[in-house]
Coordinates of all heavy atoms in Angstrom, one line a residue:
Y65 N 71.5 -50.9 33.4 CA 70.8 -50.9 32.1 C 70.6 -49.4 31.7 O 70.3 -48.6 32.5 CB 69.4 -51.5 32.2 CG 69.5 -53.0 32.6 CD1 69.0 -53.4 33.8 CD2 70.0 -54.0 31.7 CE1 69.0 -54.7 34.2 CE2 70.1 -55.3 32.1 CZ 69.6 -55.7 33.3 OH 69.7 -57.0 33.7
V66 N 70.6 -49.2 30.4 CA 70.5 -47.8 29.9 C 69.6 -47.8 28.6 O 69.7 -48.7 27.8 CB 71.9 -47.2 29.5 CG1 71.8 -45.9 28.8 CG2 72.8 -47.2 30.7
T67 N 68.7 -46.8 28.6 CA 68.0 -46.6 27.4 C 68.4 -45.2 26.8 O 68.4 -44.2 27.5 CB 66.5 -46.5 27.6 OG1 66.0 -47.7 28.1 CG2 65.7 -46.1 26.4
L68 N 68.9 -45.2 25.6 CA 69.3 -43.9 25.0 C 68.1 -43.4 24.3 O 67.8 -43.8 23.2 CB 70.5 -44.1 24.0 CG 71.8 -44.6 24.6 CD1 72.8 -44.8 23.5 CD2 72.3 -43.5 25.6
A69 N 67.4 -42.6 24.9 CA 66.1 -42.0 24.4 C 66.5 -40.8 23.5 O 67.1 -39.9 24.0 CB 65.2 -41.6 25.5
H70 N 66.0 -40.8 22.3 CA 66.2 -39.6 21.4 C 65.0 -38.6 21.7 O 64.0 -39.0 22.2 CB 66.3 -40.0 20.0 CG 66.9 -39.0 19.1 ND1 66.1 -38.3 18.2 CD2 68.2 -38.6 19.0 CE1 66.9 -37.5 17.6 NE2 68.2 -37.7 18.0
Q71 N 65.2 -37.4 21.3 CA 64.3 -36.3 21.7 C 62.9 -36.5 21.2 O 61.9 -36.0 21.8 CB 64.8 -35.0 21.1 CG 64.9 -35.0 19.6 CD 65.7 -33.8 19.1 OE1 66.0 -32.9 19.9 NE2 66.0 -33.8 17.8
D72 N 62.6 -37.3 20.2 CA 61.2 -37.5 19.7 C 60.7 -38.9 20.0 O 59.7 -39.4 19.5 CB 61.0 -37.2 18.3 CG 61.9 -38.0 17.4 OD1 62.8 -38.8 17.9 OD2 61.8 -37.9 16.1
D73 N 61.4 -39.7 20.9 CA 61.0 -41.0 21.3 C 59.9 -40.9 22.4 O 59.8 -40.0 23.1 CB 62.1 -41.8 21.9 CG 63.2 -42.2 20.9 OD1 62.9 -42.1 19.7 OD2 64.2 -42.7 21.3
S74 N 59.0 -41.9 22.4 CA 58.0 -42.0 23.4 C 57.8 -43.5 23.8 O 57.9 -44.3 23.0 CB 56.7 -41.5 22.8 OG 55.7 -41.6 23.8
Y75 N 57.7 -43.7 25.1 CA 57.8 -45.1 25.6 C 56.5 -45.5 26.4 O 56.0 -44.7 27.1 CB 59.0 -45.2 26.5 CG 60.3 -45.1 25.8 CD1 60.8 -43.8 25.6 CD2 60.9 -46.2 25.2 CE1 62.0 -43.6 24.9 CE2 62.1 -46.0 24.5 CZ 62.6 -44.7 24.3 OH 63.8 -44.6 23.6
D76 N 56.0 -46.7 26.1 CA 54.9 -47.3 26.9 C 55.3 -47.3 28.3 O 56.5 -47.5 28.6 CB 54.6 -48.6 26.3 CG 53.4 -49.3 27.0 OD1 52.3 -49.0 26.6 OD2 53.7 -50.1 27.9

Side-chain angles (χ1 to χ4, degrees):
Y65 300 112
V66 175
T67 298
L68 294 175
H70 199 255
Q71 60 191 354
D72 59 353
D73 291 349
S74 182
Y75 295 87
D76 182 81

